[in-house]
Structure formats: structure tokens, C-alpha cells
Amino acid sequence: MTVANLTSPAFSLKAITRPNILLLEPYRCARDDYKTGVLLDANENAYGPSVYTSDVASSKDTSKLIETDLIAGLHRYPDPHQEDVKQLLCDLRNAPNKGKSDIIPLTPDNLYVGVGSDECIDTVIRCFAAPGGDKMLTCPPTYGMYSVSAQVNDVKVVTVNLDLETKGFPLRVDKVMEALSNDSSIHLVYLCSPGNPTASLVDPESVKKILAHPTWNGIVVVDEAYIDFSPVGSSIAPMVTEYDNLIVIQTLSKAFGMAGIRLGASFASSPVTRILNNVKAPYNISSLTSTLALKALSPSGLSNMHKNIDAIVSQRARLLEELPKIPGVGNFIGGYAANFLLVQILDKPRGVPSSPTALRLYETLAVTKGVVIRFRGKEPGCVGGLRITVGTEEENTILLEKIKETLLEIYRS
């Protein structure tokens, strides 16, 4: 059946679309192409959510996840301020410094919560970088949504690569300082700690140096999505009580295993969070999200989360030991502070890092072996790079077997 197009001849979609949006290259992930199998591509928590983990694992009745308190009150708009969720997030980050008289504790006034950390990233740009003139600085290799959000907001990106010659990709803080000194239109610096795809922590002293830049007027944003896989006390969120020009972004998607509820948090000084909260939609966090977030941040939820982290750290150590034993697997080129690893694939056993070989391995694993990881070989300093999420014991066993099998096939062809 053919339906007549009644659109006015005066309408031109291209003519009314912002030019920067027409040029936009959207964020892409492996899940765009591969949706089933052993999914070790998106740095999710393979051990599941921190809410009701034991119940779901021991029962096929997933209706246990749907309790009365999840559906009661859905005819009403949710709490626009989410004070209870904010307080529990503050409690979590205050805990390592409890009893320290020289540390000012975080309060709900230090928080903005968004629909995942991606909304937090976007909101900061909308608030502090004017379209068509202001810029933000990123340090590749890094999370791709920073540049996507910048382009959506018509904000130019200045890049200062991480140290590509040193293992772990440390921040070249002097180069960042130089860039800020030379360009006053840079209003934001986005850092990722632990980095994605590097899995390395940024030295807090480097962050402090940038924050104390004598002439630059701007904000440093530190994305700590993976911070709970790092040593206890690694988060610099408490520093926002000392530095008005610092924002620390976190999420419940990773260590908490709650990616499906989409909850991100921005810690900052109260004047900054006041601005962020002023521009958000009035009811941006749903009642379902806040209810599940409260459960995830409860004592039982935190207990489940820590058990899952322990399991992931154990399996991370296993991959660090077992992957190098496979002929054709090269060096780990990132750090070990996240729930994923960045490893190089060689053109042949005892050969040199090869992005074409890594890409072929990635595609073959996904298409014919049912294992999805992430190709990172096009990013600065990541020649031959594959990013592998740490899975469960069973998933990692399959991963190791399939990588060994597939590399043998590639080298024989």
C-alpha cells in the first residue's frame, strides 16, 4: 500500500537542521552490530545487578524484581530533587574519610543526578561552554561521548594526547597546562579516571595542578565511572569541597551493575551544582530509577556490590595471567584499575602489534564464535588494541578458548 506524502514542498529537513548536527558522527559501540553471545564489549558488570542478585540467581521467578514499592505511586511525578539518593551517594564517598577532621564531608548540595553519566557530561557542556565559540579539552585515547556531546552542543574540542610512549598512558599535565595558557576559549577539561580504554587512574596531584592554574578560568571534569574497581579511597569526589572548579562524575552502571536504570551523578561545589540543577528537566530521574538506586545503595546492595567487585578483580587477575600465554597475544598497554583490560594482538606469534589482525580477531569472534569484545586499534597509542571486559568465570573460560582457537585459524590462513 502506497501512502501519499502530504508534506509541504517548502519543507527541507537539511535546511532547518543545525550544520553541526548534520556533520555529527554518532557514538557507536559493538552492540550496534552484535547483540548476542558472550558480551564482553561494553564494560558492564557481568555478575549482574547489586539489587536482588542472590534472589535472581537462585530462582527463575524474576517477578521478585517487581515489588509493590516499584509500582506504587507511578501515577505521580517523581521527586524532582532526589535528596535520599543524593545522601546515600554522599555517604558512600564520605566513608573512606570518616573521622578525618581536615576533610569537609559531601552533602546533597554537592550533587546533581542525571539520566546516566552521559546526561551529566552533556549538562556540564551546556552550562559552561557557549556554542560556536567556546572549547573543551580532552586527552585521547578516551571515552568517545565527550567529543560527541561537544559536537552536539557546537563546542570545539582541543586534544592533548596522553603519554602514548609510557605504559599506562599517564596524563601529560604540562602539555595540558600549556594548552590552557595559550587558549582562553577552553572552558572545560575532561579527564577519565580510570581511563576508557586505558584502565589507568589519573594522578590526583596532576588534577590539582590543573585546578590551580594561575590564569585559566575553567572547570576540570573527572569521569570516575569505573572508580569502584580501583583501590579503596581512589575517588577524588571529596575534593569538590576544596575546589570550586572541579566536577567529578560517577555512575551506578558499572560496579553496581545497574546500567539499565540509567543513573549518573555529578559531585561539585554547591554553586556549580545549583547551576546544573537549574537547567535539568524538572523530573529527570524516574521513580523506578530512584527506588532501585536506593536499594542498590542500601547496606544489602553495597554488600552485593562489593562481592561482585571481588569476583571481578579475581577474574581480572586470571585474565592478566592467562591471556599472555596465548600465542599472538601481546602486551597489556593500559592499567589494571577497571573492569576491563586493554591488550595488543600481534601479526604473528612473537610478532609486532597489528590493528588489521586485531580487527580480524574481533570480527571473527563476534560473527562466528559468539564472543563480543571491542576493537580499539584506531585510537592513539592503541595499535593492535582490543578492550576486553572482565566476565564471569564461565565467560572468561569461553573467551580464552575462542581467542586461542581464532588466532590459530588466522595465522594459518
Side-chain angles (χ1 to χ4, degrees):
M1 177 181 177
T2 303
V3 179
N5 190 324
L6 303 179
T7 308
S8 165
F11 176 74
S12 169
L13 180 62
K14 182 177 181 180
I16 66 167
T17 304
R18 290 162 51 190
N20 59 298
I21 299 300
L22 289 174
L23 295 173
L24 178 67
E25 292 187 19
Y27 181 81
R28 283 189 57 80
C29 60
R31 209 67 61 86
D32 291 330
D33 302 309
Y34 311 111
K35 296 178 173 63
T36 60
V38 178
L39 301 176
L40 303 176
D41 58 302
N43 299 341
E44 297 154 323
N45 189 322
Y47 285 84
S50 55
V51 175
Y52 304 117
T53 300
S54 59
D55 288 342
V56 175
S58 62
S59 173
K60 294 181 180 179
D61 182 12
T62 57
S63 63
K64 290 184 179 181
L65 287 169
I66 306 174
E67 293 191 343
T68 302
D69 59 353
L70 275 180
I71 59 176
L74 288 183
H75 60 302
R76 301 295 185 189
Y77 286 109
D79 176 6
H81 304 296
Q82 301 296 330
E83 292 290 322
D84 292 344
V85 172
K86 290 178 179 178
Q87 184 60 62
L88 290 180
L89 287 167
C90 290
D91 292 345
L92 176 66
R93 298 309 169 199
N94 285 330
N97 296 315
K98 190 174 182 179
K100 296 181 180 179
S101 59
D102 58 331
I103 303 294
I104 301 172
L106 296 160
T107 73
D109 286 341
N110 295 118
L111 269 171
Y112 159 85
V113 289
V115 183
S117 58
D118 290 330
E119 184 181 31
C120 297
I121 292 165
D122 179 74
T123 303
V124 170
I125 298 173
R126 287 192 290 124
C127 286
F128 303 112
D134 292 340
K135 303 171 186 175
M136 57 182 270
L137 184 147
T138 66
C139 297
T142 194
Y143 182 40
M145 273 305 297
Y146 305 147
S147 60
V148 171
S149 293
Q151 190 167 353
V152 167
N153 288 286
D154 198 15
V155 170
K156 293 182 179 179
V157 177
V158 175
T159 59
V160 175
N161 285 348
L162 299 173
D163 186 344
L164 307 182
E165 306 302 321
T166 303
K167 178 176 171 53
F169 298 92
L171 181 68
R172 296 192 300 162
V173 63
D174 291 339
K175 293 294 184 182
V176 172
M177 297 285 283
E178 181 181 336
L180 299 180
S181 296
N182 293 336
D183 192 343
S184 61
S185 66
I186 299 174
H187 282 201
L188 298 167
V189 173
Y190 268 83
L191 305 175
C192 198
S193 180
N196 177 9
T198 67
S200 296
L201 288 164
V202 175
D203 183 353
E205 294 305 314
S206 294
V207 178
K208 291 177 181 179
K209 187 172 182 179
I210 300 171
L211 291 168
H213 192 295
T215 62
W216 176 62
N217 181 25
I219 292 176
V220 177
V221 184
V222 180
D223 184 349
E224 291 188 340
Y226 303 96
I227 198 65
D228 290 301
F229 300 107
S230 306
V232 174
S234 294
S235 175
I236 64 169
M239 279 172 48
V240 303
T241 61
E242 302 175 82
Y243 294 92
D244 288 344
N245 54 340
L246 172 65
I247 297 174
V248 177
I249 295 177
Q250 297 182 355
T251 178
L252 294 193
S253 295
K254 306 302 181 180
F256 284 89
M258 304 295 287
I261 72 171
R262 310 305 299 130
L263 184 74
S266 295
F267 292 90
S269 65
S270 55
V272 170
T273 58
R274 192 175 303 120
I275 291 172
L276 296 174
N277 284 304
N278 284 347
V279 304
K280 77 173 182 68
Y283 309 105
N284 65 327
I285 304 302
S286 75
S287 299
L288 298 176
T289 291
S290 60
T291 298
L292 288 169
L294 289 170
K295 292 182 182 296
L297 292 162
S298 70
S300 62
L302 292 173
S303 176
N304 284 332
M305 183 264 283
H306 288 301
K307 289 176 184 176
N308 289 342
I309 289 175
D310 289 344
I312 288 169
V313 169
S314 176
Q315 286 300 309
R316 183 176 69 193
R318 177 191 176 195
L319 291 182
L320 285 168
E321 180 180 355
E322 296 295 328
L323 276 169
K325 297 177 182 178
I326 299 175
V329 173
N331 295 323
F332 294 103
I333 53 176
Y336 316 120
N339 68 328
F340 58 87
L341 296 168
L342 183 62
V343 64
Q344 289 181 312
I345 302 301
L346 311 179
D347 62 345
K348 59 183 178 181
R350 295 183 297 278
V352 296
S354 168
S355 290
T357 306
L359 179 60
R360 187 176 173 187
L361 173 59
Y362 156 72
E363 291 176 339
T364 305
L365 285 172
V367 174
T368 67
K369 309 291 185 178
V371 176
V372 185
I373 53 180
R374 195 79 189 270
F375 174 67
R376 301 280 74 179
K378 292 183 178 180
E379 298 193 32
C382 298
V383 175
L386 292 177
R387 193 194 69 194
I388 302 173
T389 304
V390 178
T392 62
E393 181 177 2
E394 180 182 2
E395 288 173 333
N396 291 333
T397 296
I398 295 171
L399 169 78
L400 292 166
E401 290 175 352
K402 296 303 180 182
I403 288 180
K404 183 176 181 179
E405 174 185 300
T406 306
L407 278 176
L408 185 60
E409 294 170 359
I410 290 172
Y411 294 144
R412 283 177 173 173
S413 65

